[in-house]
Amino acid sequence: MRGSAGLTGRRTECAVLDDMVKAVRGGASRVLVLHGEAGVGKTALLDHLAAVVSPGRVVRAAGVESEMELPYAGVHQLCGPLLDRLDRLPAPQREALGTTFGINAGPPPERFLVGLAVLSLLSAVAAERPLVCLVDDLEWLDRESAQVLAFVARRLEVESVGLVLAARSVPPSLAGLPSLPVGALAEEEARALLDEALAGPIDTRVRDEIVAEAHGNPLALLELPRGIGPTDLAGGFGLPAALTGGIESQFQRRVDQLPAPTRRLLLLMAADPSGDADLVARAARRWDVDRSSSGPAADAGLVDDGGRFRHPLARSAVYLAAPADERRSAHAALAAATDARTDPDRRAWHRAEATATEDEDVAVELERSAGRAQARGGPAAAAAFLRRAAALSPAPAKRGVRALAAARAEVRAGGFEAARDLLATAASAPLTEQQQAQADLTRAELAFVTDRGHDAAPLLLQAARRLEQVDGTLSRATYLEALSAAIFAGRFAAPSADVRSVAHAARGAPPASAPSAADLLLSGTVLAYDEGYAAGLPVLRSALAGVRSLDGDVDLLWMAITSTLRVWDDDGWDALSDRYVRLARETGALGHLPLALTARAYLHLFSGHLAAAAALTDELTAITEATGTSVAPYGALGLAAFRGDADAGPTLVEATKADVARRGEGVGLTFAEWAYALLHNSLGNYGEALAAAERATAYPQDPGSLIWAAPELVESAVRTGRPEAAGPVFALLSDMRNACGTDWALGIQSRSQALLTDGDGAEPLYRSALAHLGRTRMRVDLARAHLLYGEWLRRRRRRTDARAELRTAYDLFTGIGAAAFAARAGRELSAAGGNTHPRAPARDHNLTTQEAQIARMASEGLSNPEIATRLFISARTVQYHLRKVFTKLGITSRTQLPRVLPTR
């Protein structure tokens, strides 16, 4: 009943691991989660795997309970031996991983960028020979490392990397990945293992009791007999006391029987399980403990010949058996023995554990450790240091400040419940007005990242008001954030915090002596909402010119792009959305990247570049899957609407409406109804389009959010014989056109006015629309103007003129990939006596979703590392899929991809 490495009762498990090694040697990647109770043999299986990997390479890491608060401690263990390949990573990944290791200075990296860097590093190492990564005691890994490993586990494909993670149970972050339960040994196997472990004879009754007490746990079978003397093993008495309580109690009894000096030495080892023997020796000298007193511990089977604990349960038994005052003394000795220059964070943590009462000096040291953790991109560790610092702070004011800082770190780390608790602690402290404002900001950020709902704007507004007298610059920035949050909340905003109320309140923001682009953006937005569109337009244009002259400030770009739409500036939309995506990618700002990709994708949609929009939507999907974030499917929704996809469109509309309603994101409801109206206008279902457009325009507090829905309402109202329904929104379009005068605004207004005009007066308006839209990048709007003009001409019985316009519309829509609009133009063209000559659709040769994503990006000229970065996979996985794409499409070069890929 042995496995291939002599593991009793583990033949099946060893076979699974052996097969995994074969797959990795063959170029595949494999992930496996071993799970089972403590002592069941997970570590022994990892040892077996390490022994059979040759000629591959093995790297190992193990969670350590005392290191759970040290950021990326597990990543350091796993990747430390591989850093000689760091130079092979793309620059942003190299810098992110270098920052976490303290190799270079830099801003705190996004943890998912660190995850991508680890994935790339493992892939680079495995390119030389297969690599197997073994991680034990996953439940004790620091939070940042656990998140990185979960990310990597879900992205491995064909890198020749094996990743095996051992845990007592499968954590939620690894749910759905291949797993292997490691259960109890069968009774026959348990007896065999027990017989192997015993040096002398054993009475049958004793064997039965040990087997029964061990419940098939291999560690228990090996350790329980250690607490029973030879006489008892041979058939003596006293067995119930020796066996009661299982393996934990067995370790506890052995600890209790040790001499005091040995217990103290073991306590030092348990309190700092870093494995640093020199540190323990220095601490032992400070605590007057003889380092040679470890002999009885080895005799008791608690430590091995190298002086390390034989099992984590033995370590726990030693630590928990010690009285609290002795544990504090051990930590004090370890703190005193730790070099404050080379390992300040470990020293700070030991000092904190040695402190029974409030201590400002220790709290300050913990605060410094938090700063270092933040610099390495470890917000969870920073939060832990700050939380402990707050608890040790004697002064209530400092306790509140540190609790507030810990709450901010928890928000960034994703510890939302912990953040709420810390905010409650901070609220009970005597905070200053500025600190109260910071608390409001943190609550608002928490509300925004958890649901982007209506709670964020009122909190930001409250914070901005508090800051007016203490920090004018931050007050103005917070008012701008409040406006952004109110725009997101839309019709779901609280009555006192809708966008107009926030804009009116923001008039109280302290004036800037030398207004920045952000200050002008705030002033222009406030004027537009509070005094009218025309009043804010000049200031907004100055603000956007200022933003375009900058090359940074990623935080400002979403609001700036929103403003380009409101002033009908398609060139500004193009420039700023391109920069937003570039900066978000370069800096690894994954919090911004979904918004940036969405803004850029919609620019491509309106410009008629549906394939480019599809590629960005694929990237957006990859990000949300990799990070586990939940965002409404705006990209897919827009694609379905522009393509005229009658099957996917309604489903995506309903999914978006349900998602945004749950999160209180009212602007998403406007988006969804606009998309539904666009879809049905393209299909010629004008009644459905009108109903959706009316719902989309039913929130008059934010006229700027209606610029896309207004033209849909005008077209569907006219086509259903209800032009009066379009009156208010057409007046809005006219006001905007008269104020801003851009070609985009003039073209849309002229096209809408032409629809509403009877008789020959419509023709010059159609021609005006074509002239203005022809000078923009808005190809879909231009194609729609040709279509509407052609339809008008056909109804005026000018068939020759109609055919020319309808042919142009048909060709434009077909080239764009707007299938429903193309079909509508084709029907009108046929009715006017023309022929459509439909193109043969391109074939995708059954490309998988991921193959199609990679092929589209490669066709745009992206390199394998660039594609890998955008899709959160390794460059080797990209190359693997590209080879399959070339085979399926019958091509040999990336340059052939644009010719053979289907238009999307």
Side-chain angles (χ1 to χ4, degrees):
M1 302 301 290
R2 287 178 172 274
S4 58
L7 297 181
T8 300
R10 297 300 184 209
R11 179 175 298 166
T12 299
E13 292 86 349
C14 288
V16 171
L17 297 176
D18 293 345
D19 288 344
M20 177 180 182
V21 171
K22 291 177 184 176
V24 170
R25 286 179 183 149
S29 290
R30 292 289 186 269
V31 176
L32 186 66
V33 183
L34 294 177
H35 59 99
E37 65 178 349
V40 80
K42 301 185 294 295
T43 302
L45 288 167
L46 294 181
D47 292 340
H48 161 79
L49 184 56
V52 300
V53 166
S54 181
R57 183 172 183 176
V58 176
V59 289
R60 300 187 73 151
V64 178
E65 192 170 10
S66 66
E67 293 190 345
M68 291 180 71
E69 309 303 347
L70 300 180
Y72 296 108
V75 170
H76 279 237
Q77 290 184 58
L78 197 68
C79 296
L82 312 177
L83 290 182
D84 58 338
R85 300 294 184 271
L86 191 61
D87 60 349
R88 300 188 181 183
L89 273 57
Q93 298 175 33
R94 183 172 64 248
E95 291 165 5
L97 199 56
T99 300
T100 66
F101 273 83
I103 296 172
N104 51 259
E110 291 267 4
R111 63 181 179 273
F112 292 108
L113 186 59
V114 176
L116 186 56
V118 170
L119 175 65
S120 297
L121 181 63
L122 299 183
S123 178
V125 172
E128 299 170 4
R129 55 175 171 151
L131 175 67
V132 174
C133 307
L134 308 178
V135 183
D136 206 354
D137 294 319
L138 187 65
E139 60 274 0
W140 287 343
L141 214 59
D142 63 278
R143 200 190 316 179
E144 288 87 357
S145 293
Q147 290 170 335
V148 164
L149 289 175
F151 173 92
V152 170
R154 295 188 182 279
R155 313 311 292 177
L156 286 170
E157 287 193 52
V158 287
E159 299 82 359
S160 293
V161 174
L163 176 60
V164 183
L165 308 122
R168 295 186 183 180
S169 60
V170 179
S173 61
L174 301 178
L177 290 172
S179 63
L180 179 64
V182 184
L185 297 177
E187 185 173 333
E188 180 183 351
E189 296 160 345
R191 290 176 183 276
L193 180 61
L194 180 59
D195 287 343
E196 289 177 25
L198 294 173
I202 183 171
D203 182 79
T204 302
R205 181 177 62 85
V206 177
R207 179 194 287 113
D208 290 344
E209 291 209 31
I210 293 175
V211 169
E213 182 65 28
H215 299 291
N217 184 292
L219 181 66
L221 288 162
L222 297 174
E223 296 296 334
L224 286 175
R226 291 177 180 270
I228 306 171
T231 302
D232 289 332
L233 285 173
F237 298 96
L239 291 177
L243 294 175
T244 299
I247 187 61
E248 292 88 347
S249 297
Q250 178 61 252
F251 281 132
Q252 182 73 62
R253 281 192 291 270
R254 277 186 249 170
V255 172
D256 292 342
Q257 293 168 7
L258 294 173
T262 304
R263 289 200 305 271
R264 285 192 168 193
L265 182 61
L266 290 182
L267 180 56
L268 286 170
M269 294 167 58
D272 191 280
S274 63
D276 189 339
D278 291 338
L279 172 62
V280 172
R282 292 195 302 271
R285 287 194 296 272
R286 290 178 176 275
W287 207 16
D288 295 326
V289 174
D290 187 350
R291 188 75 174 87
S292 64
S293 59
S294 61
D299 295 339
L302 294 169
V303 297
D304 59 23
D305 294 338
R308 293 177 176 272
F309 285 103
R310 295 182 63 248
H311 194 274
L313 290 178
R315 182 191 306 280
S316 298
V318 168
Y319 194 78
L320 296 175
D325 60 337
E326 283 201 8
R327 289 202 295 267
R328 287 193 292 271
S329 296
H331 283 292
L334 288 162
T338 302
D339 192 324
R341 292 169 300 173
T342 60
D343 204 352
D345 300 335
R346 191 180 300 278
R347 180 177 183 272
W349 195 256
H350 279 308
R351 286 194 70 194
E353 292 301 302
T355 304
T357 59
E358 295 167 342
D359 189 315
E360 178 62 17
D361 288 342
V362 177
V364 169
E365 195 168 342
L366 288 167
E367 232 175 355
R368 295 193 190 107
S369 292
R372 287 187 289 270
Q374 290 278 31
R376 293 194 298 272
F385 282 122
L386 288 165
R387 187 167 55 245
R388 186 75 171 118
L392 293 177
S393 302
K398 289 188 175 180
R399 186 184 310 125
V401 170
R402 287 162 179 157
L404 179 55
R408 292 201 298 271
E410 286 288 8
V411 171
R412 287 190 287 275
F416 302 136
E417 287 303 317
R420 291 186 179 94
D421 293 340
L422 287 162
L423 283 168
T425 299
S428 65
L431 300 178
T432 65
E433 278 296 303
Q434 185 162 10
Q435 291 160 357
Q436 291 279 8
Q438 288 287 356
D440 290 337
L441 281 171
T442 304
R443 290 189 190 92
E445 184 181 358
L446 180 60
F448 194 73
V449 298
T450 51
D451 60 15
R452 285 213 182 112
H454 52 71
D455 292 336
L459 291 167
L460 287 164
L461 191 57
Q462 181 175 309
R465 285 168 171 156
R466 287 185 190 275
L467 288 165
E468 286 178 6
Q469 302 303 316
V470 293
D471 190 332
T473 300
L474 185 55
S475 175
R476 291 191 297 275
T478 306
Y479 272 122
L480 191 59
E481 282 189 58
L483 278 168
S484 175
I487 290 170
F488 262 109
R491 66 190 74 198
F492 295 147
S496 60
D498 64 26
V499 67
R500 287 188 182 277
S501 299
V502 172
H504 185 73
R507 302 204 70 160
S513 56
S516 65
D519 295 326
L520 292 172
L521 194 56
L522 172 65
S523 298
T525 306
V526 166
L527 284 170
Y529 281 115
D530 208 41
E531 294 186 13
Y533 181 83
L537 187 63
V539 184
L540 278 176
R541 283 181 166 161
S542 296
L544 292 173
V547 174
R548 289 183 68 171
S549 69
L550 302 173
D551 193 36
D553 205 351
V554 68
D555 294 326
L556 195 60
L557 284 172
W558 183 83
M559 194 66 179
I561 290 168
T562 299
S563 298
T564 65
L565 302 181
R566 291 161 189 261
V567 301
W568 298 84
D569 179 4
D570 56 310
D571 287 333
W573 184 9
D574 177 45
L576 292 180
S577 63
D578 179 66
R579 183 193 300 173
Y580 197 11
V581 171
R582 176 175 56 81
L583 286 176
R585 284 175 178 157
E586 289 175 355
T587 60
L590 296 188
H592 283 280
L593 197 47
L595 288 176
L597 291 171
T598 301
R600 187 67 179 165
Y602 271 82
L603 181 278
H604 284 315
L605 288 174
F606 276 87
S607 300
H609 303 303
L610 270 60
L616 293 175
T617 301
D618 291 339
E619 186 178 349
L620 178 60
T621 301
I623 291 169
T624 55
E625 289 177 352
T627 60
T629 54
S630 173
V631 296
Y634 290 127
L637 174 68
L639 275 170
F642 275 84
R643 289 173 179 156
D645 190 335
D647 295 324
T651 301
L652 286 165
V653 167
E654 291 307 311
T656 301
K657 289 166 68 173
D659 184 74
V660 300
R662 175 181 59 80
R663 295 190 296 171
E665 195 172 308
V667 71
L669 196 59
T670 300
F671 258 85
E673 297 293 5
W674 156 77
Y676 198 67
L678 170 62
L679 171 65
H680 283 285
N681 271 334
S682 72
L683 294 167
N685 301 332
Y686 300 114
E688 291 279 353
L690 177 59
E694 287 182 321
R695 292 191 296 269
T697 57
Y699 181 65
Q701 285 88 335
D702 186 7
S705 69
L706 310 183
I707 60 172
W708 293 351
E712 306 306 329
L713 179 58
V714 172
E715 183 172 342
S716 57
V718 170
R719 290 290 187 250
T720 54
R722 292 184 53 208
E724 70 282 355
V729 297
F730 178 70
L732 169 66
L733 287 176
S734 298
D735 288 345
M736 288 182 172
R737 176 235 189 190
N738 294 334
C740 76
T742 68
D743 278 316
W744 187 16
L746 292 169
I748 294 297
Q749 195 272 346
S750 294
R751 192 183 77 191
S752 299
Q753 187 175 358
L755 277 166
L756 292 164
T757 301
D758 294 327
D760 293 339
E763 186 161 16
L765 292 169
Y766 279 122
R767 291 186 176 276
S768 174
L770 291 172
H772 286 299
L773 292 172
R775 290 191 289 268
T776 73
R777 63 186 66 248
M778 304 288 96
R779 291 173 64 217
V780 174
D781 281 329
L782 175 63
R784 292 181 71 177
H786 280 292
L787 172 60
L788 291 169
Y789 185 27
E791 289 174 337
W792 181 85
L793 288 168
R794 189 177 75 80
R795 285 160 180 75
R796 304 287 291 182
R797 302 185 182 279
R798 293 167 54 183
R799 292 162 60 87
T800 300
D801 293 336
R803 284 196 296 271
E805 296 299 327
L806 293 169
R807 165 63 63 189
T808 300
Y810 177 79
D811 288 344
L812 280 171
F813 285 131
T814 301
I816 286 168
F821 273 121
R824 177 176 149 190
R827 291 191 298 270
E828 290 285 333
L829 182 57
S830 296
N835 296 314
T836 57
H837 303 298
R839 301 176 182 177
R843 298 175 58 196
D844 65 6
H845 296 269
N846 297 315
L847 297 181
T848 67
T849 300
Q850 189 166 56
E851 288 167 357
Q853 291 173 349
I854 291 170
R856 282 193 298 276
M857 291 184 179
S859 73
E860 294 173 1
L862 297 181
S863 67
N864 288 0
E866 289 171 331
I867 296 171
T869 298
R870 295 191 185 184
L871 295 182
F872 290 86
I873 54 179
S874 70
R876 290 181 67 188
T877 295
V878 173
Q879 183 59 38
Y880 168 78
H881 285 298
L882 270 179
R883 285 197 296 266
K884 295 176 69 177
V885 167
F886 288 176
T887 299
K888 289 183 178 182
L889 297 180
I891 61 175
T892 58
S893 168
R894 310 162 79 98
T895 59
Q896 296 171 286
L897 284 168
R899 175 175 56 80
V900 297
L901 285 177
T903 302
R904 288 185 55 182

